[in-house]
Amino acid sequence: MAMRTMFVHQSKDTIFTTLLLVCFISLLCLLSLQNTVQSSNKQKEDLSVDALSWKHFNHRVKERHFAETFFAPSEEKTEIRHTVHPTVKRDNCTMVDHIVFVKTHKTASTTLASILQRFGFTRNLTFTLGKRGHILSSVNLFQRSMIPALPQKSKLFDKPLNGYHLLTNHVRYNRPEMDAVVRNAKYITIIREPAAHFESTFGYFEMAKRLKLTNHSNPIEVFMKNPSKFLAKKFYMWQRAKNGQLYDLGLEHQVHNDLYHVQYKIRQLDSEFDLVLLSEYFDESLILLKKLMCWSFDDILYVSNGIRSSSHRYDLNDQLRARIRKWNSADVMMYNHFNKTLWRKIKEYGDGFKSDLAEFRFRERAAMQKCIDEQRLNRSDRREEKFVLKRNVTGSIFCENILRGDIQYTKLIRNFMQSQGLHPTSPPIKDNVPRQKASRSILKNPPQNNANILPKKVNKTNGHN
């Protein structure tokens, strides 16, 4: 009996201990489950914040990839140029490397030229360059005689050369002669809102000084009271004091007031150019350029090549701006036409345009933050201020390439081409391309009915021989 009683007591103790153990384990499980839920909620909260902050794309991944690609410690050890220029094929397109850029004055064209020159320089492409300087001509239509002959063979290229790859320096548009030296090319140019363009031109080329108007508070206002009188003085760069952009694009001044010739010229440009960029929408234009050329985002990165000094700027009120636009009415017509064209192309680009623009601007900011010291400026030219590199990136090939301007690129490219026997000082080009007289955009016998008139459509190719 005593043994049985002892066994019962022991059983009750065992059961009680087991129950305590089960309760303790359950409590631990509940605490662990609570911590897991809290951690999960925090992760969801973090993801929600990330999704809100980076709604267009995962910037953290992009930033890490961008930094690893371009800002790696080994960057300075890479070669400046490729051994040979590659033909790159991407999704459903092939990289374009035959380009004619008609470089207009005071339209952000120097910045755009630097983008194109960097692209060609880093791929050992050939450029149409004069024997010296970075300007082929500011007043003459392009002629093939302006550049040296290009040898048919070179140790740099496996195939015989059939013309140059790029034309990027200042010269007036002349399609037949340009076609003779850069064959099967994409044609691009850039223009600017005419009132802003006139003010920039007037200030940068110091027209007030040349016209002895510096004692006036606003020389442009004095000029616009009688612009024809001042234009007749034929001062330095006077050709750009009226419809200067159409003048760069080949239209002579004597027909600037002829509505028919102006309309015909605009239609001709629309037919012959693959893309007309607008400086007011520079980034948007570059996205279209990237698609047209089948380039990468990194090919179109840039640093502005100059910011005009405050001493060379003038205020324009609405009344003065309207008078300037009337004086430059031909440029206004052209700008309005290509402004509509630009936004039509953006619409045709599709839904991906906004995200591509956002990604490009992110990369652009990253490059600026990496390379440029925004607290310092180069003021060696009284007319403009230029960015300088951060001291800790001096020697960075990436940063030096992105900052370099067209004058510096032209020197480097000429030296390289001469070292490869690609820029000899020889007689003008002689080839089997028929000589054509320079088209001055003045029709000797224009059709009488100008309705729906278009010049002969130029066949556009993918930019390859």
Side-chain angles (χ1 to χ4, degrees), residues 19-33:
L19 288 173
L20 284 177
L21 182 61
V22 169
C23 290
F24 180 73
I25 292 173
S26 299
L27 180 62
L28 289 177
C29 290
L30 287 173
L31 290 174
S32 176
L33 180 62

Side-chain angles (χ1 to χ4, degrees), residues 45-56:
E45 182 181 353
D46 290 342
L47 289 172
S48 177
V49 170
D50 282 346
L52 180 64
S53 301
W54 311 105
K55 58 183 180 180
H56 293 298

Side-chain angles (χ1 to χ4, degrees), residues 382-397:
R382 67 177 180 274
R383 300 172 300 177
E384 61 183 3
E385 300 168 342
K386 295 186 176 183
F387 289 113
V388 296
L389 293 179
K390 289 181 177 179
R391 291 186 174 90
N392 63 342
V393 298
T394 302
S396 163
I397 294 172

Side-chain angles (χ1 to χ4, degrees), residues 8-18:
V8 170
H9 284 300
Q10 287 178 350
S11 297
K12 289 182 179 179
D13 291 341
T14 302
I15 292 171
F16 181 73
T17 302
T18 303

Side-chain angles (χ1 to χ4, degrees), residues 305-335:
N305 274 187
I307 304 169
R308 197 154 35 101
S309 304
S310 58
S311 60
H312 287 64
R313 293 177 181 268
Y314 300 99
D315 294 328
L316 302 180
N317 56 38
D318 292 342
Q319 183 180 7
L320 183 56
R321 188 178 297 274
R323 287 159 63 187
I324 292 172
R325 287 175 63 86
K326 184 177 180 180
W327 172 247
N328 294 274
S329 59
D331 271 0
V332 170
M333 290 177 61
M334 178 178 65
Y335 183 85

Side-chain angles (χ1 to χ4, degrees), residues 86-103:
T87 299
V88 178
K89 291 188 177 181
R90 298 191 175 94
D91 295 338
N92 301 320
C93 65
T94 303
M95 182 190 73
V96 174
D97 57 9
H98 283 68
I99 304 163
V100 172
F101 170 47
V102 181
K103 191 172 186 282

Side-chain angles (χ1 to χ4, degrees), residues 196-253:
H197 175 260
F198 179 86
E199 184 273 330
S200 178
T201 301
F202 196 95
Y204 183 82
F205 292 117
E206 300 181 326
M207 293 182 178
K209 181 179 179 180
R210 303 179 193 285
L211 294 170
K212 297 179 171 55
L213 298 176
T214 53
N215 58 330
H216 296 274
S217 59
N218 194 336
I220 291 182
E221 190 169 3
V222 178
F223 179 94
M224 289 310 304
K225 288 180 179 179
N226 195 346
S228 297
K229 181 188 77 172
F230 288 109
L231 196 68
K233 295 179 182 291
K234 302 294 178 70
F235 51 92
Y236 175 68
M237 285 293 185
W238 67 270
Q239 299 93 339
R240 285 161 187 86
K242 182 178 183 180
N243 297 314
Q245 298 177 91
L246 261 177
Y247 177 78
D248 279 337
L249 291 169
L251 190 65
E252 301 297 341
H253 277 290

Side-chain angles (χ1 to χ4, degrees), residues 372-383:
I372 303 303
D373 185 348
E374 299 185 44
Q375 304 302 316
R376 296 190 300 136
L377 290 169
N378 179 354
R379 296 185 173 89
S380 59
D381 187 337
R382 67 177 180 274
R383 300 172 300 177

